[in-house]
Every structure is written in structure tokens, then in C-alpha cells.
């Protein structure tokens, strides 16, 4: 184990596709700058699936979306985001728009409000193609739309291409959104809570399809979710975010087998289990801190039953255990993880 303030994951020979360094996102308030994202460090290689997990308000979506230029107009972004060799922080909005929709695809939570209700599905996908391929003919675009609809497993694409979003189910609409996101062969796909609005069976189908597309197209995928259960079977690596910082990051199997941060332990214990005999689901006590009311020391200390005096006074360093890192003063000395006992006693007790 070593203390790691300058985390460097060994990347492939060609380097990572995406490298985020010390990304901060803040908003000016009466009392100065309030940081909602306090220094993200993320690396993602080609073909890799990274799950970014945290509760609502943790900064996971804000951080990731700001890294690709989708921050609110009043947000201030600093740090470095290098994608495919280009620095994105400070790039003009027009250049970022050109990059999104071509090399970077986005999938949002609610497909119904993301699709235009008065345009056919075919026209909406064609529009994405024309925007980034100036010389493309209508016939070529239609051919590509049909190919994309087949790729996302929409039955009868010849008929569906002429239909409107309201004629599609929620799952089929999300497939259309995915078709739009991959229309121009992106290298990176960012999916922000892509299955939250869907029922469990459709959720599983969409996740499986994203995984298959990643394999087929060689995409790197960032999966932003509040639900650790969603990433369990689909991500290669998981970064857990709390109060605008990554508090733990590891390969997915390692994270579930040996969580080293009490917050991660709480999230794992909160996943509903079929085998559970408890009437009530476990949830982490308390709520994430409000912007402008960040606790001193470790931001998780008001909710953490492991907290000691040092946690209230000093922010924990990020400790590294091979490719597993955790920002907790006691990441090395927490009791071994025992989920059953954790749920019975309160997850933060491990
Ligand atoms: Fe809990 Fe302290 Fe670790 Fe923070 S540093 S997670 S308060 S034990």
C-alpha cells in the first residue's frame, strides 16, 4: 500500500483514451466559489467499461458531463480532460458540440423527453448523421438508419423508421437513443443513468445490449449510476464518488469482494437481495452534504460509524493497494468485509 496523491494507473502503450486530472466544477456564490466536484482523477482505456457510482448530489453526473463540456453555463470548470490526445477544458462550445455526437456519444436517463415528439424516429437519427457528415445523401442516411435500428435490435426497422416516439415502448425509445448515440461511430459512450426510467427486465436487456455494442464496436463506455447493482455485472472497473471526490476505485470483482471504504460498504449493503430475510432494505443513515456545508476533514464522517477524531479534523489521503485505491484513514485496517453482518449491524460497521 502507498499513499497516492498523484494517482497514475498504468495505461496501455498508446495511453488512455480519456484522462481526467484534478477536475473541479464550482459555482460562484455570495461566500465565494462553492465546489461541487472537488478534484476528479479518472482514466479510461479503449474498450473499457467504467462505472461511476454515487448517491444523488454526489457530483458523479456533474463531473462526468462537465468533462465533456455539458456543464451549466454558470459552472466554472478547471483541471485537465484529455480525450484522444486533445485537451477539452477550455475548448470553445462549438468545437465541443462537434466532438459530441461524433467521437463522443451520450445517452440520457429519460428517452421520452430527449426525443422530439413531432419528428419520426428515422428523421431524428438522420438529423444526427447529417449534422456530422456533410456529404451524406438521403439514401445513404436512410441505409445507415436501418443498419443502426438493426444493431440496437429494433424489430421491423423498415416500418419503425417512419414511426414517432410515442409509438415506441420505454425500452424501445432507449434503444433509439442508443442508435443516435452510436450513429457516428464514437470512441467513447457516456451513459447517464441509462436504465433508471425502465422496469427491471428492460433494464437488464438494455445493459446487455450496451455491453454487446461495446464488444462489437470497440467503444469505451462510462456508466453513471446511483445503483451499484447496475454496474456489478457490466463494468470492468468502478469509481465510487462521494461529495465530489472519488472515495474508492477498483476492478469490479475486487470492489465487491473487498470494499475498503465505509461508504462503498454502505452502497453494497443497500443493494436489494432476493435472499434477504429482512423486511426493510438497508440504507446509509443521513444524507450527502449540501453544497456550501461540506464537513471538515472526511466529508463522510457525519454518516460513518468508523469515524474517529482524525476523520473530523483531517481529510484522508488516497491509499493505493495495487490497482485498488480508497480515500479513508482506515482503508488498511477496517475489519474484513462481511456483508451479512454489515446489513445486520449497519453497513458502515462492516
Ligand atoms: Fe469514515 Fe474516517 Fe474513513 Fe471517513 S476517513 S470514511 S470518516 S473512517
Amino acid at each position: 500500500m502507498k499513499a497516492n496523491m498523484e494517482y497514475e494507473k498504468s495505461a496501455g502503450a498508446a495511453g488512455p483514451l480519456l484522462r481526467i486530472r484534478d477536475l473541479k466544477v464550482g459555482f460562484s456564490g455570495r461566500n465565494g466559489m462553492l465546489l461541487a466536484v472537488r478534484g476528479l482523477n479518472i482514466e479510461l482505456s479503449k474498450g473499457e467499461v467504467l462505472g461511476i457510482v454515487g448517491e444523488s448530489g454526489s457530483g458523479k453526473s456533474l463531473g462526468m458531463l462537465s468533462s465533456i463540456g455539458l456543464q451549466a453555463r454558470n459552472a466554472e470548470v478547471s483541471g485537465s480532460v484529455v480525450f484522444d490526445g486533445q485537451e477539452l477544458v477550455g475548448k470553445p462550445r462549438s468545437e465541443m458540440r462537434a466532438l459530441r455526437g461524433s467521437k463522443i456519444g451520450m445517452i440520457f436517463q429519460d428517452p421520452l423527453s430527449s426525443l422530439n415528439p413531432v419528428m419520426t424516429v428515422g428523421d431524428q437519427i438522420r438529423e444526427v448523421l447529417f449534422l456530422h457528415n456533410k456529404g451524406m445523401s438521403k439514401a445513404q442516411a436512410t441505409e445507415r438508419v436501418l443498419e443502426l435500428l438493426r444493431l440496437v435490435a429494433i424489430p421491423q426497422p423498415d416500418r419503425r423508421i417512419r414511426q414517432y416516439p410515442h409509438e415506441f415502448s420505454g425500452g424501445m425509445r432507449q434503444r433509439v437513443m442508443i442508435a443516435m448515440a452510436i450513429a457516428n461511430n464514437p470512441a467513447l459512450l457516456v451513459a447517464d443513468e441509462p436504465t433508471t426510467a425502465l422496469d427491471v427486465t428492460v433494464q437488464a436487456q438494455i445493459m446487455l445490449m450496451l455491453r454487446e455494442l461495446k464488444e462489437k464496436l470497440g467503444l469505451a463506455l462510462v456508466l453513471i449510476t446511483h445503483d451499484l447493482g447496475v454496474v456489478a455485472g457490466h463494468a470492468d472497473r468502478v469509481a465510487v464518488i462521494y461529495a465530489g471526490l472519488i472515495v474508492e476505485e477498483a476492478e469490479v470483482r475486487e470492489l465487491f469482494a473487498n470494499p475498503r471504504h465505509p461508504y462503498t460498504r454502505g452502497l453494497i449493503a443497500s443493494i436489494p437481495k432476493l435472499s434477504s430475510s429482512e423486511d426493510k432494505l438497508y440504507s446509509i443513515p443521513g444524507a450527502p452534504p449540501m453544497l456550501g456545508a461540506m464537513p471538515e476533514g472526511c466529508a463522510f464522517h457525519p454518516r460513518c460509524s468508523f469515524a474517529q477524531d482524525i476523520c473530523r479534523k483531517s481529510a484522508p489521503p488516497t491509499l493505493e493497494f495495487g490497482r485498488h485505491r480508497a480515500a479513508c484513514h482506515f482503508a488498511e485496517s477496517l475489519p474484513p468485509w462481511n456483508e451479512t453482518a454489515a446489513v445486520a449491524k449497519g453497513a458502515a460497521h462492516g
Side-chain angles (χ1 to χ4, degrees):
M1 181 274 298
K2 62 178 177 172
N4 170 37
M5 304 309 288
E6 293 289 321
Y7 172 69
E8 290 292 337
K9 182 176 89 65
S10 56
L17 177 69
L18 179 73
R19 172 178 283 173
I20 299 177
R21 282 283 171 274
D22 198 26
L23 184 79
K24 296 189 173 99
V25 185
F27 299 88
S28 293
R30 249 184 256 148
N31 301 322
M33 180 66 70
L34 299 175
L35 284 181
V37 175
R38 300 187 292 143
L40 288 193
N41 293 299
I42 288 172
E43 285 188 4
L44 183 68
S45 299
K46 199 166 173 269
E48 196 178 18
V49 182
L50 173 69
I52 299 189
V53 182
E55 294 163 288
S56 296
S58 60
K60 60 188 187 304
S61 295
L62 181 68
M64 200 55 222
L65 298 187
S66 300
S67 75
I68 56 171
L70 284 174
Q71 69 274 19
R73 285 201 176 263
N74 62 340
E76 292 188 28
V77 179
S78 67
S80 168
V81 178
V82 177
F83 167 72
D84 201 20
Q86 305 176 59
E87 175 61 60
L88 303 189
V89 174
K91 232 186 204 323
R93 280 183 178 261
S94 58
E95 286 183 34
M96 285 306 302
R97 258 198 304 277
L99 202 58
R100 291 190 306 268
S102 55
K103 285 188 161 188
I104 301 174
M106 275 294 313
I107 304 168
F108 293 100
Q109 180 176 339
D110 181 4
L112 190 54
S113 59
S114 304
L115 289 167
N116 184 336
V118 297
M119 277 175 85
T120 65
V121 157
D123 281 345
Q124 293 189 58
I125 305 176
R126 265 191 290 259
E127 194 171 70
V128 174
L129 290 166
F130 288 140
L131 209 57
H132 298 277
N133 302 278
K134 294 298 175 212
M136 188 175 251
S137 69
K138 196 165 176 201
Q140 285 171 323
T142 300
E143 197 44 51
R144 176 70 176 146
V145 173
L146 290 170
E147 185 190 351
L148 287 163
L149 293 179
R150 280 191 285 270
L151 204 54
V152 297
I154 289 187
Q156 300 180 280
D158 294 304
R159 187 169 67 86
R160 290 297 204 166
I161 195 172
R162 294 189 299 275
Q163 292 186 325
Y164 291 87
H166 74 269
E167 297 175 85
F168 285 62
S169 66
M172 285 292 166
R173 281 195 288 265
Q174 192 57 297
R175 286 171 192 263
V176 172
M177 291 302 300
I178 295 169
M180 289 167 81
I182 61 171
N184 293 307
N185 297 315
L188 170 66
L189 200 55
V190 178
D192 187 12
E193 303 275 10
T195 58
T196 300
L198 305 173
D199 68 46
V200 180
T201 324
V202 181
Q203 194 175 77
Q205 290 167 359
I206 294 288
M207 290 310 304
L208 193 63
M209 196 190 64
L210 281 174
R211 184 92 209 183
E212 284 170 2
L213 285 175
K214 185 221 80 143
E215 300 293 340
K216 252 187 227 167
L217 308 177
L219 296 163
L221 175 62
V222 176
L223 201 54
I224 305 168
T225 176
H226 64 279
D227 184 353
L228 248 184
V230 167
V231 299
H234 302 282
D236 301 314
R237 206 154 42 89
V238 181
V240 178
I241 295 197
Y242 187 77
L245 282 178
I246 292 178
V247 294
E248 184 157 16
E249 183 180 344
E251 304 286 336
V252 68
R253 279 170 198 268
E254 163 66 11
L255 189 95
F256 278 87
N258 187 24
R260 290 183 176 271
H261 196 285
Y263 179 59
T264 311
R265 292 184 173 202
L267 291 179
I268 295 174
S270 307
I271 300 171
K273 320 262 178 329
L274 278 176
S275 57
S276 174
S277 55
E278 300 290 319
D279 290 340
K280 278 174 71 181
L281 284 176
Y282 174 80
S283 66
I284 303 171
M290 303 286 287
L291 201 57
M294 199 63 71
E296 285 290 308
C298 172
F300 189 58
H301 85 248
R303 306 174 72 186
C304 179
S305 56
F306 285 109
Q308 308 284 324
D309 279 350
I310 187 176
C311 306
R312 290 178 264 278
K313 289 178 194 144
S314 122
T318 299
L319 304 179
E320 200 178 323
F321 309 84
R323 295 191 65 191
H324 187 163
R325 57 178 175 143
C328 170
H329 287 297
F330 304 104
E332 208 177 0
S333 56
L334 289 182
W337 172 233
N338 176 336
E339 188 177 348
T340 311
V343 173
K345 287 192 281 179
H349 294 277

